[in-house]
Amino acid sequence: MTTLSIIKADTGGFVGHSEVHPDMLSAAGDAVRDAVTRGLLIDGQVSRCGDDISLIMTHEHGADAEAVHSFAWNTFLRTTEIAKKLGLYGAGQDLLSDAFSGNLRGMGPGYAELEFTERPSEPVLCFLADKTEPGAWNLPLYKMFADPFNTAGLVIDSKMHAGFRFEVYDLYQDKRIVFDTPREIYDLLMFIGAPARYVVHSVQSVTLDIPAAATSTQRLSLMADKYVGKDDPVMIVRCQSGLPAVGEVLEPFAFPYSVAGCMRGSHHAPIMPVGLAQATPARFDGPPRVVALGFQITDGKLIGPRDMFADPSFDRARTMANEVMDYLRRHGPFEPHRLALEDLEYTTMRELEQRLADRWQPMHTETRVPAQTR
Ligand code: F6R
Ligand code: MG
Ligand code: MG
């Protein structure tokens, strides 16, 4: 079995929250090459989207492996040191804990991991996003694996007719549930249409009985109990031969749907699919970006990446994202550009409510006429 792990963290931004400094990428690259030489990893690459570094690694240790997670943690400590030395912004931002213990759960860095037996040819897409949250994958995952208007294979390929199984996490209550599609699509949509709370964690093929997709699902604000930056999620999707084709997996991003994130993690904004060269959110710390790195995995080796969104077929999504951004920005601090209050409660709202608690007065003194005299 091969495990593909993407482990990511924001350990400092260059400039502000817009990019990762090249020195940090090169230090992470050295660490990954060394881990391959030592035999910890079969293969590994370093990439980035906005201010987040992603370690893309193949190995045989399975998901949640201490050896791999502690390697990533130590690598992020190293990139944090560089960020501190260069005075970069938010150095060590996502490292919430002082010491590593066992695995990265609850410690800040995000990760998506998929353990599988390699098929004769194994095309995989690694998605990295910046300035948004894990629920941002709900809509595209639904379209890829459950919407025949997106994925022709659901109709045309008999291996896909039995559908896909979605595992959904409730991030507020630490519970999980599994839905079978197409039978339960309405139940599924009821939950995943609320992506701040319900997040698709994984998808499995019913017919092939193999894992098809995995996402990172932590929410930093829920862990730290305050705003500490958005979670900037990652996702792995296997493609072809009874799974959605590469083009079907990319297709949902031709529509720049609205996600939560952007400036101060507090706004709805369109997600913009971009090539790596454009994965540098500038305007209003946004619009949120997504890159798709394509690999063929062969004997555990990462053959790639191909920069899948660096393609003119996504130009119109980018143009539309800019238009939608203009429209939303004109709302300034008003909803629906700004997030609804319940999604802001882990940021400043609670503090503000406490500060103003004494100034709120009842709106009416008791002037209501008793019922029997009406
Ligand atoms: C988005 C993000 C930024 C910051 C913003 C303010 O995920 O991290 O939008 O929230 O740049 O940052 P501070 O408060 O550090 O000045
Ligand atoms: Mg940052
Ligand atoms: Mg980020």
Side-chain angles (χ1 to χ4, degrees), residues 135-146:
W137 304 129
N138 286 4
L139 185 149
L141 281 171
Y142 178 80
K143 285 179 137 182
M144 288 169 210
F145 289 101

PDB file of all heavy atoms in Angstrom, residues 135-146:
ATOM      1  N   GLY A 135     -14.465  23.372   4.232  1.00  0.00           N
ATOM      2  CA  GLY A 135     -15.771  23.160   3.593  1.00  0.00           C
ATOM      3  C   GLY A 135     -15.800  23.633   2.147  1.00  0.00           C
ATOM      4  O   GLY A 135     -16.743  23.333   1.404  1.00  0.00           O
ATOM      5  N   ALA A 136     -14.768  24.371   1.730  1.00  0.00           N
ATOM      6  CA  ALA A 136     -14.702  24.836   0.341  1.00  0.00           C
ATOM      7  C   ALA A 136     -14.656  23.669  -0.638  1.00  0.00           C
ATOM      8  O   ALA A 136     -14.947  23.835  -1.817  1.00  0.00           O
ATOM      9  CB  ALA A 136     -13.480  25.733   0.140  1.00  0.00           C
ATOM     10  N   TRP A 137     -14.284  22.475  -0.185  1.00  0.00           N
ATOM     11  CA  TRP A 137     -14.243  21.326  -1.102  1.00  0.00           C
ATOM     12  C   TRP A 137     -15.618  20.660  -1.248  1.00  0.00           C
ATOM     13  O   TRP A 137     -15.792  19.788  -2.093  1.00  0.00           O
ATOM     14  CB  TRP A 137     -13.231  20.271  -0.636  1.00  0.00           C
ATOM     15  CG  TRP A 137     -11.826  20.748  -0.435  1.00  0.00           C
ATOM     16  CD1 TRP A 137     -11.060  20.549   0.671  1.00  0.00           C
ATOM     17  CD2 TRP A 137     -10.986  21.471  -1.366  1.00  0.00           C
ATOM     18  NE1 TRP A 137      -9.810  21.095   0.501  1.00  0.00           N
ATOM     19  CE2 TRP A 137      -9.742  21.667  -0.732  1.00  0.00           C
ATOM     20  CE3 TRP A 137     -11.179  21.972  -2.659  1.00  0.00           C
ATOM     21  CZ2 TRP A 137      -8.684  22.343  -1.351  1.00  0.00           C
ATOM     22  CZ3 TRP A 137     -10.128  22.652  -3.268  1.00  0.00           C
ATOM     23  CH2 TRP A 137      -8.908  22.828  -2.626  1.00  0.00           C
ATOM     24  N   ASN A 138     -16.589  21.028  -0.427  1.00  0.00           N
ATOM     25  CA  ASN A 138     -17.877  20.323  -0.470  1.00  0.00           C
ATOM     26  C   ASN A 138     -18.538  20.417  -1.840  1.00  0.00           C
ATOM     27  O   ASN A 138     -18.981  19.407  -2.396  1.00  0.00           O
ATOM     28  CB  ASN A 138     -18.854  20.904   0.572  1.00  0.00           C
ATOM     29  CG  ASN A 138     -18.499  20.502   1.994  1.00  0.00           C
ATOM     30  OD1 ASN A 138     -17.485  19.857   2.236  1.00  0.00           O
ATOM     31  ND2 ASN A 138     -19.326  20.903   2.952  1.00  0.00           N
ATOM     32  N   LEU A 139     -18.641  21.630  -2.358  1.00  0.00           N
ATOM     33  CA  LEU A 139     -19.347  21.808  -3.632  1.00  0.00           C
ATOM     34  C   LEU A 139     -18.648  21.079  -4.785  1.00  0.00           C
ATOM     35  O   LEU A 139     -19.283  20.288  -5.484  1.00  0.00           O
ATOM     36  CB  LEU A 139     -19.546  23.307  -3.916  1.00  0.00           C
ATOM     37  CG  LEU A 139     -20.378  23.654  -5.155  1.00  0.00           C
ATOM     38  CD1 LEU A 139     -21.131  24.969  -4.956  1.00  0.00           C
ATOM     39  CD2 LEU A 139     -19.525  23.757  -6.420  1.00  0.00           C
ATOM     40  N   PRO A 140     -17.347  21.280  -4.979  1.00  0.00           N
ATOM     41  CA  PRO A 140     -16.721  20.546  -6.090  1.00  0.00           C
ATOM     42  C   PRO A 140     -16.753  19.029  -5.895  1.00  0.00           C
ATOM     43  O   PRO A 140     -16.922  18.293  -6.874  1.00  0.00           O
ATOM     44  CB  PRO A 140     -15.291  21.083  -6.131  1.00  0.00           C
ATOM     45  CG  PRO A 140     -15.082  21.782  -4.841  1.00  0.00           C
ATOM     46  CD  PRO A 140     -16.420  22.260  -4.380  1.00  0.00           C
ATOM     47  N   LEU A 141     -16.613  18.533  -4.660  1.00  0.00           N
ATOM     48  CA  LEU A 141     -16.656  17.072  -4.464  1.00  0.00           C
ATOM     49  C   LEU A 141     -18.038  16.530  -4.820  1.00  0.00           C
ATOM     50  O   LEU A 141     -18.170  15.457  -5.419  1.00  0.00           O
ATOM     51  CB  LEU A 141     -16.315  16.706  -3.016  1.00  0.00           C
ATOM     52  CG  LEU A 141     -14.817  16.717  -2.690  1.00  0.00           C
ATOM     53  CD1 LEU A 141     -14.595  16.563  -1.185  1.00  0.00           C
ATOM     54  CD2 LEU A 141     -14.078  15.605  -3.446  1.00  0.00           C
ATOM     55  N   TYR A 142     -19.067  17.277  -4.438  1.00  0.00           N
ATOM     56  CA  TYR A 142     -20.417  16.846  -4.811  1.00  0.00           C
ATOM     57  C   TYR A 142     -20.543  16.768  -6.334  1.00  0.00           C
ATOM     58  O   TYR A 142     -21.017  15.783  -6.893  1.00  0.00           O
ATOM     59  CB  TYR A 142     -21.473  17.802  -4.229  1.00  0.00           C
ATOM     60  CG  TYR A 142     -22.852  17.383  -4.667  1.00  0.00           C
ATOM     61  CD1 TYR A 142     -23.515  16.347  -4.029  1.00  0.00           C
ATOM     62  CD2 TYR A 142     -23.456  17.974  -5.788  1.00  0.00           C
ATOM     63  CE1 TYR A 142     -24.759  15.905  -4.479  1.00  0.00           C
ATOM     64  CE2 TYR A 142     -24.686  17.541  -6.235  1.00  0.00           C
ATOM     65  CZ  TYR A 142     -25.335  16.507  -5.575  1.00  0.00           C
ATOM     66  OH  TYR A 142     -26.549  16.067  -6.031  1.00  0.00           O
ATOM     67  N   LYS A 143     -20.077  17.818  -6.995  1.00  0.00           N
ATOM     68  CA  LYS A 143     -20.198  17.823  -8.460  1.00  0.00           C
ATOM     69  C   LYS A 143     -19.390  16.695  -9.097  1.00  0.00           C
ATOM     70  O   LYS A 143     -19.878  16.006  -9.988  1.00  0.00           O
ATOM     71  CB  LYS A 143     -19.769  19.176  -9.027  1.00  0.00           C
ATOM     72  CG  LYS A 143     -20.812  20.270  -8.803  1.00  0.00           C
ATOM     73  CD  LYS A 143     -20.309  21.567  -9.368  1.00  0.00           C
ATOM     74  CE  LYS A 143     -21.365  22.314 -10.124  1.00  0.00           C
ATOM     75  NZ  LYS A 143     -20.833  23.564 -10.703  1.00  0.00           N
ATOM     76  N   MET A 144     -18.169  16.504  -8.651  1.00  0.00           N
ATOM     77  CA  MET A 144     -17.314  15.443  -9.242  1.00  0.00           C
ATOM     78  C   MET A 144     -17.940  14.065  -9.101  1.00  0.00           C
ATOM     79  O   MET A 144     -17.936  13.273 -10.037  1.00  0.00           O
ATOM     80  CB  MET A 144     -15.968  15.366  -8.488  1.00  0.00           C
ATOM     81  CG  MET A 144     -15.009  16.459  -8.706  1.00  0.00           C
ATOM     82  SD  MET A 144     -13.681  16.252  -7.447  1.00  0.00           S
ATOM     83  CE  MET A 144     -13.226  17.956  -7.225  1.00  0.00           C
ATOM     84  N   PHE A 145     -18.433  13.767  -7.887  1.00  0.00           N
ATOM     85  CA  PHE A 145     -18.790  12.380  -7.571  1.00  0.00           C
ATOM     86  C   PHE A 145     -20.290  12.106  -7.546  1.00  0.00           C
ATOM     87  O   PHE A 145     -20.693  10.957  -7.425  1.00  0.00           O
ATOM     88  CB  PHE A 145     -18.181  11.988  -6.211  1.00  0.00           C
ATOM     89  CG  PHE A 145     -16.697  11.836  -6.256  1.00  0.00           C
ATOM     90  CD1 PHE A 145     -15.857  12.849  -5.785  1.00  0.00           C
ATOM     91  CD2 PHE A 145     -16.115  10.697  -6.791  1.00  0.00           C
ATOM     92  CE1 PHE A 145     -14.480  12.720  -5.826  1.00  0.00           C
ATOM     93  CE2 PHE A 145     -14.737  10.546  -6.839  1.00  0.00           C
ATOM     94  CZ  PHE A 145     -13.915  11.563  -6.360  1.00  0.00           C
ATOM     95  N   ALA A 146     -21.125  13.151  -7.654  1.00  0.00           N
ATOM     96  CA  ALA A 146     -22.563  12.886  -7.526  1.00  0.00           C
ATOM     97  C   ALA A 146     -23.426  13.628  -8.535  1.00  0.00           C
ATOM     98  O   ALA A 146     -24.631  13.396  -8.571  1.00  0.00           O
ATOM     99  CB  ALA A 146     -23.025  13.229  -6.101  1.00  0.00           C
TER     100      ALA A 146
END
